[in-house]
Coordinates of all heavy atoms in Angstrom, one line a residue:
S766 N 2.6 14.0 9.4 CA 2.2 15.3 9.3 C 3.1 16.2 10.1 O 3.7 15.8 11.1 CB 0.8 15.5 9.8 OG 0.7 15.1 11.1
G767 N 3.3 17.4 9.6 CA 4.2 18.4 10.3 C 3.5 19.1 11.4 O 2.3 19.0 11.6
G768 N 4.2 20.0 12.1 CA 3.6 20.9 13.0 C 3.6 20.3 14.4 O 3.1 21.0 15.4
P771 N -0.9 17.6 18.5 CA -1.9 18.5 19.1 C -1.6 18.7 20.6 O -1.3 17.7 21.2 CB -3.2 17.9 18.8 CG -3.0 16.8 17.8 CD -1.6 16.4 18.0
T776 N -7.3 15.9 19.0 CA -7.1 16.0 17.5 C -7.7 17.3 17.0 O -8.8 17.7 17.4 CB -7.9 14.8 16.9 OG1 -7.4 13.6 17.4 CG2 -7.8 14.9 15.4
P777 N -6.9 18.1 16.2 CA -7.5 19.3 15.7 C -8.7 19.1 14.9 O -8.9 18.2 14.2 CB -6.3 19.8 14.8 CG -5.1 19.1 15.2 CD -5.6 17.8 15.7
T778 N -9.7 20.1 15.1 CA -11.0 19.9 14.4 C -11.2 21.1 13.4 O -12.3 21.2 12.9 CB -12.1 19.9 15.4 OG1 -12.0 21.1 16.3 CG2 -12.0 18.7 16.3
D779 N -10.2 21.9 13.2 CA -10.4 23.0 12.2 C -10.5 22.3 10.8 O -10.0 21.2 10.6 CB -9.2 23.9 12.2 CG -7.9 23.2 11.9 OD1 -7.3 22.6 12.8 OD2 -7.5 23.3 10.7
P780 N -11.2 23.0 9.9 CA -11.5 22.4 8.6 C -10.3 21.9 7.8 O -10.3 20.8 7.2 CB -12.2 23.5 7.8 CG -12.8 24.4 8.9 CD -11.8 24.3 10.0
T781 N -9.2 22.6 7.9 CA -8.0 22.2 7.1 C -7.4 20.9 7.7 O -7.1 20.0 7.0 CB -6.9 23.3 7.2 OG1 -7.4 24.5 6.6 CG2 -5.6 22.9 6.4
S782 N -7.3 20.8 9.0 CA -6.8 19.6 9.7 C -7.7 18.4 9.4 O -7.2 17.3 9.1 CB -6.6 19.8 11.2 OG -5.7 20.8 11.5
V783 N -9.0 18.6 9.4 CA -9.9 17.5 9.1 C -9.7 17.1 7.7 O -9.7 15.9 7.4 CB -11.4 18.0 9.3 CG1 -12.4 17.0 8.8 CG2 -11.6 18.2 10.8
A784 N -9.6 18.0 6.7 CA -9.4 17.7 5.3 C -8.2 16.9 5.1 O -8.1 15.9 4.4 CB -9.5 18.9 4.5
L785 N -7.1 17.3 5.8 CA -5.8 16.6 5.6 C -5.8 15.2 6.1 O -5.3 14.3 5.6 CB -4.7 17.5 6.2 CG -4.3 18.8 5.5 CD1 -3.3 19.6 6.4 CD2 -3.8 18.5 4.1
R786 N -6.5 15.0 7.3 CA -6.6 13.7 7.8 C -7.4 12.8 6.9 O -7.0 11.6 6.6 CB -7.4 13.7 9.2 CG -6.5 14.1 10.4 CD -7.1 13.6 11.7 NE -8.4 14.1 11.9 CZ -8.7 15.4 12.4 NH1 -7.7 16.2 12.7 NH2 -10.0 15.7 12.5
E787 N -8.5 13.3 6.3 CA -9.3 12.5 5.4 C -8.5 12.2 4.1 O -8.6 11.1 3.6 CB -10.6 13.3 5.1 CG -11.5 13.4 6.3 CD -12.8 14.3 6.0 OE1 -12.8 14.9 4.9 OE2 -13.7 14.3 6.8
L788 N -7.8 13.2 3.6 CA -7.0 13.0 2.4 C -5.9 11.9 2.7 O -5.7 11.1 1.8 CB -6.4 14.3 1.9 CG -5.5 14.2 0.7 CD1 -6.3 13.6 -0.5 CD2 -4.9 15.5 0.3
R789 N -5.3 12.0 3.8 CA -4.2 11.0 4.2 C -4.8 9.6 4.2 O -4.2 8.7 3.7 CB -3.6 11.4 5.5 CG -2.4 10.5 5.9 CD -1.7 11.0 7.1 NE -0.8 12.2 6.8 CZ -1.1 13.4 7.1 NH1 -2.2 13.7 7.8 NH2 -0.3 14.4 6.8
S790 N -6.0 9.5 4.7 CA -6.7 8.2 4.8 C -7.0 7.7 3.3 O -6.8 6.5 3.0 CB -8.0 8.3 5.5 OG -8.7 7.1 5.5
A807 N -12.2 12.2 -2.4 CA -11.3 13.3 -2.3 C -12.0 14.6 -2.8 O -11.8 15.7 -2.2 CB -10.0 13.1 -3.0
L809 N -14.9 15.5 -2.4 CA -15.8 16.0 -1.5 C -15.2 16.7 -0.3 O -15.9 17.2 0.6 CB -16.7 14.8 -0.9 CG -17.5 14.1 -2.0 CD1 -18.2 12.9 -1.4 CD2 -18.5 15.1 -2.6
L810 N -13.8 16.7 -0.2 CA -13.1 17.4 0.9 C -13.5 18.9 0.9 O -13.6 19.5 -0.1 CB -11.6 17.2 0.7 CG -11.0 15.8 0.8 CD1 -9.5 15.9 0.5 CD2 -11.3 15.3 2.2
R811 N -13.7 19.4 2.1 CA -14.0 20.8 2.3 C -12.7 21.5 2.6 O -12.1 21.3 3.7 CB -15.0 20.9 3.5 CG -16.3 20.3 3.3 CD -17.2 21.1 2.3 NE -17.3 22.5 2.7 CZ -18.3 23.0 3.6 NH1 -19.1 22.1 4.1 NH2 -18.4 24.2 3.9
L812 N -12.3 22.4 1.7 CA -11.1 23.2 1.9 C -11.5 24.6 2.1 O -12.1 25.2 1.1 CB -10.1 23.0 0.8 CG -9.6 21.6 0.5 CD1 -8.7 21.6 -0.7 CD2 -8.9 21.0 1.7
P813 N -11.2 25.2 3.2 CA -11.7 26.6 3.4 C -11.1 27.7 2.5 O -11.8 28.6 2.2 CB -11.4 26.8 4.9 CG -10.2 25.9 5.2 CD -10.4 24.7 4.3
D814 N -9.8 27.5 2.2 CA -9.2 28.7 1.5 C -7.9 28.2 0.7 O -7.6 27.0 0.8 CB -8.8 29.8 2.5 CG -8.1 29.2 3.7 OD1 -7.4 28.2 3.6 OD2 -8.2 29.8 4.8
A815 N -7.2 29.1 0.1 CA -6.1 28.7 -0.7 C -4.9 28.2 0.1 O -4.2 27.2 -0.3 CB -5.6 30.0 -1.5
P816 N -4.6 28.7 1.3 CA -3.6 28.1 2.1 C -3.9 26.6 2.4 O -3.0 25.8 2.5 CB -3.6 28.9 3.4 CG -4.1 30.3 3.0 CD -5.1 30.0 1.9
A817 N -5.2 26.3 2.6 CA -5.5 24.9 2.8 C -5.2 24.0 1.6 O -4.7 22.9 1.7 CB -7.0 24.7 3.2
L818 N -5.5 24.6 0.4 CA -5.1 23.9 -0.8 C -3.6 23.7 -0.9 O -3.2 22.6 -1.4 CB -5.6 24.8 -2.0 CG -5.3 24.2 -3.4 CD1 -5.8 22.9 -3.6 CD2 -5.7 25.2 -4.5
D819 N -2.8 24.6 -0.5 CA -1.4 24.5 -0.6 C -0.9 23.3 0.3 O 0.0 22.5 -0.1 CB -0.7 25.7 -0.1 CG -0.7 26.9 -1.2 OD1 -0.9 26.5 -2.4 OD2 -0.6 28.0 -0.8
K820 N -1.6 23.1 1.4 CA -1.2 22.0 2.3 C -1.7 20.7 1.7 O -1.0 19.7 1.8 CB -1.9 22.2 3.7 CG -1.3 23.3 4.5 CD -1.9 23.5 5.8 CE -1.3 24.6 6.6 NZ -1.9 24.8 7.9
V821 N -2.8 20.7 1.0 CA -3.2 19.5 0.3 C -2.2 19.1 -0.8 O -1.8 17.9 -1.0 CB -4.6 19.7 -0.3 CG1 -4.9 18.7 -1.4 CG2 -5.7 19.6 0.8
V822 N -1.8 20.1 -1.6 CA -0.8 19.9 -2.6 C 0.5 19.3 -2.0 O 1.1 18.4 -2.6 CB -0.5 21.2 -3.4 CG1 0.7 21.1 -4.3 CG2 -1.7 21.6 -4.3
A823 N 1.0 19.9 -0.9 CA 2.2 19.4 -0.3 C 2.1 18.0 0.1 O 3.0 17.2 0.0 CB 2.5 20.3 0.9
L824 N 0.9 17.6 0.7 CA 0.7 16.2 1.1 C 0.6 15.3 -0.1 O 1.3 14.2 -0.1 CB -0.6 16.1 1.9 CG -1.0 14.7 2.3 CD1 0.1 14.0 3.2 CD2 -2.3 14.7 3.1
L825 N -0.1 15.7 -1.2 CA -0.1 14.8 -2.4 C 1.3 14.6 -2.9 O 1.7 13.5 -3.3 CB -1.0 15.5 -3.4 CG -2.5 15.5 -3.2 CD1 -3.2 16.3 -4.3 CD2 -3.0 14.1 -3.3
F846 N -8.8 14.7 -9.5 CA -9.2 15.7 -8.5 C -9.2 17.1 -9.2 O -10.2 17.8 -9.0 CB -8.1 15.7 -7.4 CG -8.4 16.6 -6.3 CD1 -9.2 16.3 -5.3 CD2 -7.8 17.9 -6.3 CE1 -9.5 17.2 -4.2 CE2 -8.0 18.8 -5.2 CZ -8.9 18.4 -4.2
W850 N -12.9 18.7 -8.7 CA -13.0 19.4 -7.4 C -13.7 20.7 -7.6 O -13.5 21.5 -8.5 CB -11.6 19.6 -6.9 CG -11.5 20.3 -5.6 CD1 -12.1 20.0 -4.5 CD2 -10.7 21.5 -5.4 NE1 -11.8 20.9 -3.5 CE2 -10.9 21.8 -4.0 CE3 -9.9 22.3 -6.2 CZ2 -10.3 23.0 -3.4 CZ3 -9.3 23.4 -5.6 CH2 -9.5 23.7 -4.2
R851 N -14.6 20.9 -6.7 CA -15.5 22.1 -6.8 C -14.8 23.4 -6.3 O -15.4 24.5 -6.5 CB -16.8 21.9 -6.0 CG -16.6 21.7 -4.5 CD -17.8 21.5 -3.7 NE -17.6 21.3 -2.3 CZ -17.5 22.3 -1.5 NH1 -17.6 23.6 -1.9 NH2 -17.3 22.1 -0.2
G852 N -13.7 23.3 -5.6 CA -13.0 24.5 -5.2 C -13.1 24.8 -3.7 O -13.8 24.1 -3.0
T853 N -12.4 25.8 -3.3 CA -12.4 26.1 -1.8 C -13.7 26.8 -1.4 O -14.4 27.3 -2.3 CB -11.2 27.1 -1.5 OG1 -11.3 28.3 -2.4 CG2 -9.9 26.5 -1.7
D854 N -14.0 26.7 -0.2 CA -15.2 27.2 0.3 C -15.4 28.7 0.1 O -16.5 29.2 -0.1 CB -15.4 27.0 1.8 CG -15.6 25.5 2.1 OD1 -15.9 24.7 1.2 OD2 -15.4 25.1 3.3
D855 N -14.2 29.4 0.1 CA -14.3 30.9 -0.2 C -14.3 31.2 -1.7 O -14.2 32.4 -2.0 CB -13.2 31.6 0.6 CG -11.8 31.2 0.1 OD1 -11.7 30.4 -0.9 OD2 -10.8 31.7 0.6
R866 N -0.7 25.0 -8.8 CA 0.1 24.9 -7.5 C 0.8 23.6 -7.4 O 1.9 23.6 -6.9 CB -0.9 25.1 -6.3 CG -1.3 26.5 -6.2 CD -2.5 26.7 -5.2 NE -3.1 28.0 -5.3 CZ -2.9 28.9 -4.3 NH1 -2.2 28.6 -3.3 NH2 -3.5 30.1 -4.5

Side-chain angles (χ1 to χ4, degrees):
S766 57
T776 302
T778 57
D779 62 280
T781 300
S782 296
V783 170
L785 290 174
R786 277 200 306 277
E787 292 175 352
L788 179 60
R789 186 172 283 107
S790 175
L809 298 175
L810 292 176
R811 296 287 302 275
L812 300 179
D814 48 31
L818 175 61
D819 286 336
K820 291 182 179 180
V821 162
V822 166
L824 177 58
L825 286 173
F846 184 82
W850 177 55
R851 64 182 180 81
T853 53
D854 290 347
D855 63 3
R866 287 165 190 255

